[in-house]
Amino acid sequence: MSTYGYDTMEDLVENKYLVERPIYSEDSFNADHEIVDRYHTTTCDHLKRTCSCSAQKAKRIALSFFPVVSWLPAYRFKEWILNDIVSGVTTGLVAVLQGLAYALLANVSPGYGLYTSFFPVVAYFVFGTSKHLSAGELFIIFVGPFPVVSLMVGSVVATLVPDSATDIGNSTLINATAEDVINDKRIMVAASLTFLVGIIQLALGLLQTGFIVIYLSEPLINGFTTGAAIEVVVSQLKYVFGVKVPTFSGPLSLFYVLKSICLQLYKTNIADLVIAIIVMVCVYIVKEINLRFKAKMPVPIPIEIIMTIIATGVSYAFDFKRRYEVNTVGYIQRGFQEPVAPNISIFQECIGSAFSIAIVGFAVAFSVGKVYAIKHNYTTNGNQELIAFGFSNIMCGAFKGFAASSSLSRSSIQENTGGKTQVAGIISGTIVLIVTLALGYLLEPLPKSVLAAIILVNLKGMLMKVTEVPVLFRRDKYDCLVWILTFIASVILGLDLGLAAGVGVELLTVVFRVQFPNFTVIGNIERTDIYRNVKDYNEICEPKGVKIFRCPSPVFFANSEVFKEKLIAAAGFNPLWVLRRRNKALMKIKKLVKKGELTVTSKGMICAPYDNPESADEEELDNNRIEELDQPVNTADLPIVIDWNADLPYNIQVPKIELHSLILDFGVVSFIDMTGMKALKGILKEFLKVEVHTYIAAADNCVLEKLKRSAFFDDDIKTSMFFLTVHDAVLHVLEKNGMQDALKWGLDKETANLVLSNEVKNGNLYNGILEVKHETKF
């Protein structure tokens, strides 16, 4: 049995590893190991590959653009059709109900919600991504209205067509009531907005910008959806209490709605309130039963459908609309209207909101896709999803529907009821089609308070996301801040501005994370090659005279100054200030020597007796000599090298520094820009001028190559300063300074090398700089 990396089987059993290798700098490692010359693709190469065409590539693009062509021919009719029918019928009934309900959020007549439950399904059947699973099944999601997206559409509709609209327009509408005119205008605004949303999504998909969803983090989406849930709750209260509320839009509109409802509570329609309470209680209880006994139920109890049928029947039988003035769904137009061209003038007024809706709708759909992707172990194609939703919304807008996304609840129903392919989606769309063409009139007596109650109960999951805040606070303060501020902005400013504010806060946290990273000083866990923060462990060793500084982020224009400040703080002194003090002291020493007050010999400096030495006073320098203070200390014209850590004559004060080596751990520095290079080079040179040797460890090859290309290295800053690991750099420093001390104590170089190699091998150097006893026997 091989025990590679271990001395004995006992070491292998005890999970130990032993490695013996040379101390590697980047130069010595590259000398021992040949670097492979790789060809890096250029922009021209990318253009050639992108613009090239072949039959195989054309086929691949066509199949990716029309995924239905790849999976439909492989459909196993006998095995899958029954499951798809059951799943499609169940999901279709839910889709009908949710289409009617979410139309209220979009501020259009409930019947138009059926269009949004049908046309996007058809388009997504053709363009949506479907992934073959290991068992031969296909991943499917259900496309249709989604509460947050519907509410965003409704906000735009309410802004552009408020309740007070009186402009009747063309003569064809002269005989129509003002309410009908407002409804027609709102439908046109919703359809045009949806068309524009589809264009934006399609364009983003064709431009291969599916990655844009990565800028919407999970805390941001959850904070936004929770804020939207609050908006949904407030928007449905008018149906629950049966009062008329003016349309408000813009910042603080939620609070204006609440104020209006509170002022009209005495007008509450008791029938609407009782109906809503009964429906909410029944739906909530049954949903909890479904959740608790999910594993034992083949199909969840469709309580929403049951309550809708009961409420519709009771409302029709007892004539709730006339006897109790209950607000019902009302007239539902049979069939589909002819497709209409969007209103271009509406595009100009809602382009910003359309972009927000397009991004949110895609983010919701992509999140649903990720849930199933993780569950079934595959990846989703964000660009194709954008294209699919783009076509879905364009078709929906053309037929007077409103913007669609995907729903986790409907997709879950479709999967739990045995749906195998997108054929289940088409069957669910067929159910919606049947209701639209022939059965829609049966839902006309349905009270709107029933739809509002169903919406409110289904918001439980979104509202419960508020419980994430304490968890986020413990795990990551920045994520918690993003969640809270996005939620507050969505509630106060509205959903479109709230989303923009949330993205701004999120990007700002990224700036703060990289601009103010947690720079640390690290030390060695004794007799290991492991280095950790010196504040975190008791038994940790910092080699004497050595400081190891870890940089946990890229070094670039935003944090280069902070990097320098933290490095100076870790070293314990400002090298530029020390250099200036040394140069001032050297000028004084040379002046004293010139005046005969100080004699410099090979054995040291001898002070002449003098009562009031001029050197004891601080002298001002003329402006022509100020720059000399920043130059390296030049003692060439003196017969000795001054020990700046010793006491100088005439009480000349110079800061004493014990640091002789500074190691920068660049293991997680992913990039460095020109500003960062300039800052790094400047601070390294400043430390070198005060005789503090600097080293950089664990730098990535990409960073090192960029430094070489950018003329970073010169006579002072060399590639020999770079080491493979922090441990290599530490051992090099200890060996180098141990050799200097050994030679200083009079040992010959061969003997010193022998002692040092033994000390390094035995790990004794970790306790500080090597201290060789003169009485050591060899």
Side-chain angles (χ1 to χ4, degrees):
M1 179 178 178
S2 172
T3 58
Y4 175 76
Y6 301 89
D7 280 354
T8 64
M9 283 297 297
E10 288 77 10
D11 289 335
L12 179 61
V13 173
E14 294 176 7
N15 294 325
K16 296 180 180 178
Y17 79 92
L18 302 174
V19 177
E20 184 176 348
R21 64 170 177 81
I23 298 174
Y24 274 131
S25 67
E26 288 287 348
D27 290 348
S28 61
F29 181 81
N30 292 334
D32 291 346
H33 300 83
E34 183 180 358
I35 300 177
V36 177
D37 291 330
R38 293 185 299 160
Y39 176 77
H40 296 279
T41 56
T42 63
T43 303
C44 293
D45 295 330
H46 286 293
L47 288 175
K48 288 179 181 178
R49 186 172 62 233
T50 303
C51 299
S52 63
C53 186
S54 64
Q56 186 177 6
K57 183 176 180 180
K59 180 180 178 180
R60 186 175 66 252
I61 294 174
L63 290 177
S64 65
F65 199 71
F66 299 97
V68 65
V69 178
S70 62
W71 66 264
L72 190 58
Y75 186 80
R76 302 176 187 175
F77 188 85
K78 292 182 180 180
E79 298 178 31
W80 294 346
I81 189 61
L82 183 60
N83 297 84
D84 283 341
I85 289 175
V86 174
S87 175
V89 171
T90 306
T91 312
L93 293 175
V94 175
V96 169
L97 181 59
Q98 291 187 346
L100 295 173
Y102 295 152
L104 300 181
L105 299 178
N107 279 321
V108 297
S109 301
Y112 289 90
L114 299 177
Y115 298 171
T116 308
S117 296
F118 174 73
F119 289 108
V121 173
V122 176
Y124 194 84
F125 176 82
V126 178
F127 298 102
T129 54
S130 297
K131 184 73 175 180
H132 279 277
L133 305 182
S134 57
E137 298 177 353
L138 288 167
F139 157 72
I140 49 178
I141 65 174
F142 188 90
V143 184
F146 184 75
V148 174
V149 175
S150 301
L151 185 64
M152 295 179 74
V153 173
S155 176
V156 177
V157 170
T159 302
L160 298 184
V161 188
D163 287 334
S164 58
T166 57
D167 182 19
I168 294 180
N170 296 330
S171 58
T172 56
L173 299 176
I174 291 177
N175 296 325
T177 64
E179 184 177 353
D180 291 335
V181 174
I182 292 175
N183 288 335
D184 290 340
K185 285 181 174 292
R186 287 184 168 182
I187 291 166
M188 192 61 196
V189 169
S192 299
L193 175 63
T194 301
F195 199 95
L196 181 57
V197 168
I199 292 175
I200 293 173
Q201 290 177 330
L202 180 61
L204 292 175
L206 294 175
L207 293 174
Q208 304 289 293
T209 56
F211 65 86
I212 196 171
V213 75
I214 66 176
Y215 293 102
L216 302 179
S217 66
E218 185 175 345
L220 184 146
I221 292 176
N222 290 342
F224 175 77
T225 53
T226 307
I230 298 296
E231 295 255 11
V232 172
V233 169
V234 173
S235 70
Q236 296 307 294
L237 291 179
K238 62 183 179 182
Y239 300 111
V240 172
F241 291 103
V243 297
K244 294 184 178 181
V245 178
T247 300
F248 298 98
S249 60
L252 302 177
S253 59
L254 180 142
F255 301 98
Y256 294 136
V257 172
L258 281 176
K259 178 182 177 181
S260 177
I261 291 174
C262 291
L263 293 176
Q264 298 184 70
L265 285 179
Y266 68 93
K267 298 180 181 179
T268 298
N269 187 317
I270 302 300
D272 273 323
L273 182 61
V274 171
I275 290 171
I277 292 175
I278 293 174
V279 172
M280 280 192 286
V281 171
C282 294
V283 172
Y284 179 80
I285 292 174
V286 176
K287 276 187 171 291
E288 289 299 311
I289 294 174
N290 286 339
L291 184 63
R292 178 164 302 210
F293 299 101
K294 180 179 179 181
K296 298 180 180 180
M297 289 183 175
V299 178
I301 301 174
I303 184 60
E304 294 99 334
I305 298 173
I306 295 173
M307 294 304 298
T308 300
I309 294 174
I310 294 174
T312 303
V314 172
S315 175
Y316 177 77
F318 293 95
D319 197 6
F320 279 2
K321 183 175 182 180
R322 186 179 61 83
R323 295 178 62 181
Y324 303 108
E325 298 182 353
V326 170
N327 191 7
T328 61
V329 168
Y331 175 71
I332 296 178
Q333 182 176 348
R334 297 186 186 183
F336 297 100
Q337 299 183 21
E338 295 180 355
V340 295
N343 190 328
I344 304 300
S345 62
I346 295 176
F347 285 5
Q348 300 172 357
E349 298 182 59
C350 61
I351 180 65
S353 299
F355 189 82
S356 299
I357 295 170
I359 297 301
V360 171
F362 172 62
V364 169
F366 198 77
S367 299
V368 173
K370 284 176 65 176
V371 170
Y372 288 98
I374 294 172
K375 183 176 180 180
H376 296 294
N377 192 27
Y378 68 93
T379 58
T380 55
N381 186 341
N383 296 317
Q384 183 59 31
E385 287 294 288
L386 271 171
I387 292 173
F389 279 97
F391 277 117
S392 297
N393 282 316
I394 288 175
M395 179 180 290
C396 190
F399 286 93
K400 295 188 176 181
F402 53 88
S405 182
S406 63
S407 168
L408 183 58
S409 61
R410 293 192 298 274
S411 300
S412 177
I413 292 172
Q414 193 157 318
E415 183 190 41
N416 293 337
T417 52
K420 298 294 184 180
T421 69
Q422 292 288 1
V423 171
I426 283 293
I427 293 174
S428 68
T430 304
I431 298 299
V432 177
L433 177 65
I434 293 172
V435 172
T436 305
L437 294 177
L439 303 178
Y441 71 94
L442 296 177
L443 296 172
E444 292 177 358
L446 177 65
K448 288 185 179 180
S449 56
V450 173
L451 298 177
I454 292 173
I455 290 174
L456 293 178
V457 175
N458 280 302
L459 290 174
K460 176 193 171 185
M462 297 170 65
L463 292 172
M464 289 302 294
K465 289 184 182 294
V466 74
T467 58
E468 295 179 352
V469 175
V471 178
L472 285 175
F473 184 79
R474 291 192 300 268
R475 293 179 179 177
D476 192 306
K477 303 296 189 297
Y478 283 115
D479 283 345
C480 183
L481 184 66
V482 170
W483 197 105
I484 293 174
L485 293 183
T486 303
F487 170 78
I488 293 174
S490 300
V491 170
I492 295 178
L493 302 178
L495 296 183
D496 49 355
L497 295 178
L499 178 64
V503 173
V505 171
E506 184 177 49
L507 295 179
L508 193 60
T509 61
V510 174
V511 172
F512 274 98
R513 287 177 194 267
V514 295
Q515 188 171 357
F516 304 104
N518 186 23
F519 295 100
T520 56
V521 175
I522 59 176
N524 175 256
I525 304 297
E526 292 189 12
R527 299 189 181 281
T528 71
D529 60 350
I530 299 171
Y531 292 82
R532 290 291 184 267
N533 191 335
V534 295
K535 297 179 181 179
D536 293 339
Y537 297 89
N538 291 324
E539 298 178 357
I540 199 165
C541 172
E542 284 190 273
K544 185 178 179 182
V546 181
K547 193 69 69 174
I548 310 171
F549 180 78
R550 174 167 288 169
C551 179
S553 74
V555 183
F556 64 116
F557 66 92
N559 67 359
S560 58
E561 289 301 319
V562 178
F563 167 77
K564 290 173 62 176
E565 292 173 4
K566 295 294 183 180
L567 182 57
I568 290 171
F573 62 91
N574 188 325
L576 189 58
W577 182 74
V578 172
L579 177 64
R580 291 177 176 177
R581 298 290 296 181
R582 287 184 179 182
N583 273 321
K584 283 183 109 174
L586 182 61
M587 291 178 182
K588 292 177 182 179
I589 290 172
K590 289 182 178 180
K591 187 174 182 181
L592 290 171
V593 170
K594 185 177 180 181
K595 291 184 175 182
E597 299 172 9
L598 185 66
T599 303
V600 179
T601 68
S602 59
K603 294 183 179 181
M605 291 181 285
I606 302 173
C607 302
Y610 194 76
D611 294 334
N612 270 323
E614 182 182 351
S615 56
D617 299 326
E618 291 288 338
E619 296 182 354
E620 295 292 333
L621 296 175
D622 58 70
N623 291 333
N624 294 329
R625 300 181 63 193
I626 289 292
E627 294 182 357
E628 295 181 18
L629 298 181
D630 293 339
Q631 301 303 315
V633 178
N634 184 10
T635 59
D637 53 351
L638 295 177
I640 63 169
V641 176
I642 300 175
D643 184 0
W644 296 110
N645 286 331
D647 293 331
L648 298 178
Y650 296 120
N651 294 323
I652 298 175
Q653 298 296 321
V654 175
K656 296 179 175 62
I657 58 175
E658 297 181 357
L659 191 68
H660 58 72
S661 299
L662 183 62
I663 300 172
L664 308 184
D665 181 4
F666 269 31
V668 293
V669 177
S670 57
F671 73 89
I672 180 169
D673 69 353
M674 299 305 297
T675 305
M677 288 184 204
K678 185 177 180 180
L680 176 62
K681 190 171 185 176
I683 195 66
L684 292 182
K685 282 182 174 290
E686 289 176 9
F687 277 108
L688 287 174
K689 288 177 181 179
V690 294
E691 300 173 356
V692 174
H693 299 285
T694 56
Y695 306 91
I696 296 178
D700 187 83
N701 282 339
C702 295
V703 174
L704 193 55
E705 286 299 320
K706 184 170 183 179
L707 294 177
K708 291 177 181 178
R709 292 196 308 268
S710 304
F712 179 79
F713 299 103
D714 54 24
D715 294 336
D716 297 322
I717 311 296
K718 302 177 182 179
T719 55
S720 58
M721 297 167 52
F722 285 74
F723 282 81
L724 218 58
T725 67
V726 173
H727 200 56
D728 285 296
V730 170
L731 293 179
H732 170 78
V733 169
L734 296 178
E735 187 175 10
K736 176 182 177 181
N737 285 276
M739 173 64 72
Q740 291 175 351
D741 289 343
L743 295 176
K744 189 184 300 182
W745 292 322
L747 298 178
D748 60 89
K749 191 170 184 178
E750 183 178 353
T751 303
N753 270 325
L754 177 62
V755 175
L756 289 169
S757 63
N758 288 331
E759 293 292 333
V760 171
K761 183 176 181 181
N762 295 330
N764 295 331
L765 286 177
Y766 292 112
N767 297 322
I769 299 300
L770 178 64
E771 297 179 358
V772 180
K773 303 292 186 182
H774 285 291
E775 62 269 17
T776 303
K777 296 181 180 180
F778 304 101

